[in-house]
Amino acid sequence: MAIELPKLPYALDALAPHVSKSTLEFHHGKHHRAYVDKTNELIANSDLAGKSLEEIVKVAAGKKDKVALFNNVAQAWNHNFLWHSMSPDGGSEPGGALAERMEKDLGGFPGFAEAFKKAATGQFGSGWAWLALADGKLEISATANADTPLVYGKTPLLTLDVWEHAYYLDYQNRRPDYVATFLEKLVNWEFAASNLQKASQRKAAE
Ligand code: FE
């Protein structure tokens, strides 16, 4: 059973003008597809074939002989997560349990927004900005290249891709504008809230 490229959870033009149809065509149809194809090539005829994406990410992490596999499989996982972190109905602020956590751990939404913007714009070169649950607390971080909080025992709640391929067609070198637009128009708080809820349920079941 091969790893598959999932369909986008919205139409290619659904995030326009904030993220254009051409960006999504390339980003999902070319970049994400290449990570999936390369992963399948690298796991073919190995004991990893048939494992889930998340399992392969964890097996490959930190292994000197699996650097290429980690880069591709983690990028495949990160992009699956990215598409759901954005929504045509996104933006605004979270509510409920997530808002309460934010108040307690990050200084409310303004504290979140400031730290997230700093992480996303401050990541030198390619990478990702994250909101994750780490040791039961909300945490903002940035990772380089394909790296992901998943391999550090953290639970990702939300991400933004800050590789140039994610924004260059629409924003050229203006990464801060792309990050600000993500927070104002696209961020999918329902997705983040459902990830937090699942993590809380897992914790309660332990
Ligand atoms: Fe990307």
Side-chain angles (χ1 to χ4, degrees), residues 5-6 8 10 12 15 18-36 75-76 78-83 86 126-128 145 159-170 178 182 186:
L5 177 71
L8 284 175
Y10 30 73
L12 282 168
L15 305 182
H18 314 303
V19 171
S20 66
K21 186 179 174 186
S22 337
T23 291
L24 279 186
E25 276 170 349
F26 275 91
H27 198 179
H28 176 258
K30 305 279 185 200
H31 293 277
H32 190 178
R33 183 184 298 280
Y35 298 130
V36 170
Q75 281 294 81
N78 290 347
H79 282 88
N80 284 0
F81 199 76
L82 168 71
W83 308 130
M86 301 187 285
S126 297
W128 300 80
N145 301 318
T159 196
L160 182 63
D161 188 342
V162 296
W163 283 59
E164 281 189 346
H165 68 221
Y167 63 87
Y168 211 84
L169 293 178
D170 301 322
Y178 160 68
F182 168 74
L186 299 172

Side-chain angles (χ1 to χ4, degrees), residues 37-58:
D37 289 350
K38 192 70 191 173
T39 297
N40 283 324
E41 208 180 294
L42 291 168
I43 61 170
N45 306 314
S46 83
D47 55 359
L48 292 174
K51 299 255 192 255
S52 76
L53 204 53
E54 192 169 323
E55 283 173 301
I56 305 170
V57 170
K58 288 180 176 171

